[in-house]
Amino acid sequence: RCHHPIVKMLDLPFLPFCVLLGGLGFVCVAFVSAWCQHWRGGFALDGSAQTFNWHPVLMVTGMVVLYGAAALVYRLPATWSGPKLPWKVLHGALALAAFALAVLGLAAVFRFHNEHKTPNMYSLHSWLGLATVLLFSCQWLAGFCTFLLPWAPAWLRALYKPVHVFFGSTILLLSVASCVSGINEKLFFSLKNGTTEYNRLPAEAVFANTLGLLILLFGVLVLGALARPSWKRPDTDSPESCQVPAPLR
């Protein structure tokens, strides 16, 4: 292990890192909520533009923050010993909650588009976002059937684990990309026609661009935590560890 002073300085214990990451996740949700409330007119359920505002809030909360929390469940030292079932249930429940919020977020944007006769699924952001949610639904169902249900044999869990790991990382990356592209697309559509144009960098543009950077930082930190060897389960190579349904390892 490297003992360079810079490495030691950056060697933050996992639990303080979790507090830091949790704070960053809270800031991401607070920023997207404040953006929609202050600059985009707040929230409603009537199919208006305020209905659309639920879309970014729910997607950031679900597909980035809650998904990141689900991914890090098996980095908690408390999960390294004792019964695994409670942690499996927690991991699956957090992922399911993230999926539920994502579905509600999609419902909000589809209702807004349908109410205003706006075509659905024509932009790269919409393609990327829907593909991410569909991939996530397949990932959760496959993980549930393989790791939580008792019927799956050990060899199947061992075979599927690397696939689950790969797509877990991919889904997080796609979620971040979807959110960042969605923020950019919304700014291009909104900051024109009588408002201060995007290229003049009004306060809303600065705020929303900062939100995009915070979301990106959150995703990078989650992936960094998952890749750090000292924060992985010490028994990662044992057959029993193949039963752990961590989506990102």
Side-chain angles (χ1 to χ4, degrees):
R1 179 173 177 173
C2 179
H3 295 283
H4 191 280
I6 295 179
V7 175
K8 293 179 67 176
M9 181 178 66
L10 297 176
D11 192 15
L12 185 67
F14 180 71
L15 292 181
F17 172 83
C18 280
V19 174
L20 175 66
L21 190 66
L24 179 58
F26 176 82
V27 169
C28 289
V29 175
F31 260 58
V32 69
S33 301
W35 175 35
C36 293
Q37 179 66 47
H38 182 71
W39 279 287
R40 296 291 103 216
F43 303 92
L45 298 173
D46 56 4
S48 64
Q50 287 69 44
T51 299
F52 172 87
N53 289 339
W54 287 107
H55 175 68
V57 172
L58 292 171
M59 300 312 267
V60 170
T61 304
M63 292 301 295
V64 176
V65 177
L66 274 182
Y67 186 85
L72 290 176
V73 163
Y74 288 98
R75 294 303 185 269
L76 291 170
T79 69
W80 294 3
S81 61
K84 295 182 180 180
L85 182 60
W87 301 107
K88 291 182 181 184
V89 172
L90 176 61
H91 170 75
L94 286 172
L96 184 60
F99 178 71
L101 291 183
V103 171
L104 292 174
L106 289 178
V109 71
F110 278 118
R111 182 176 182 191
F112 168 73
H113 283 175
N114 293 337
E115 287 284 341
H116 294 267
K117 310 302 181 184
T118 303
N120 290 305
M121 303 304 301
Y122 66 89
S123 68
L124 176 60
H125 164 67
S126 62
W127 292 5
L128 187 62
L130 186 60
T132 303
V133 175
L134 290 176
L135 183 60
F136 182 32
S137 65
C138 296
Q139 170 85 345
W140 190 92
L141 183 61
F144 177 80
C145 293
T146 304
F147 298 116
L148 271 175
L149 295 183
W151 70 270
W155 66 265
L156 179 60
R157 288 191 288 265
L159 182 67
Y160 176 63
K161 180 183 174 182
V163 178
H164 197 65
V165 168
F166 171 77
F167 280 107
S169 302
T170 300
I171 289 166
L172 181 61
L173 291 172
L174 289 175
S175 298
V176 171
S178 298
C179 289
V180 171
S181 64
I183 291 168
N184 196 240
E185 182 178 285
K186 183 61 176 177
L187 289 174
F188 273 117
F189 284 153
S190 300
L191 297 181
K192 61 181 181 179
N193 298 332
T195 65
T196 304
E197 294 185 358
Y198 191 10
N199 59 11
R200 294 184 180 273
L201 206 64
E204 179 180 358
V206 174
F207 191 89
N209 286 348
T210 302
L211 167 63
L213 292 177
L214 291 172
I215 291 170
L216 180 61
L217 177 61
F218 184 90
V220 168
L221 289 178
V222 171
L223 290 176
L226 293 166
R228 186 163 185 165
S230 62
W231 289 351
K232 292 183 178 181
R233 290 176 60 93
D235 59 342
T236 51
D237 292 328
S238 70
E240 173 66 15
S241 70
C242 296
Q243 300 178 24
V244 176
L248 307 167
R249 187 176 285 277

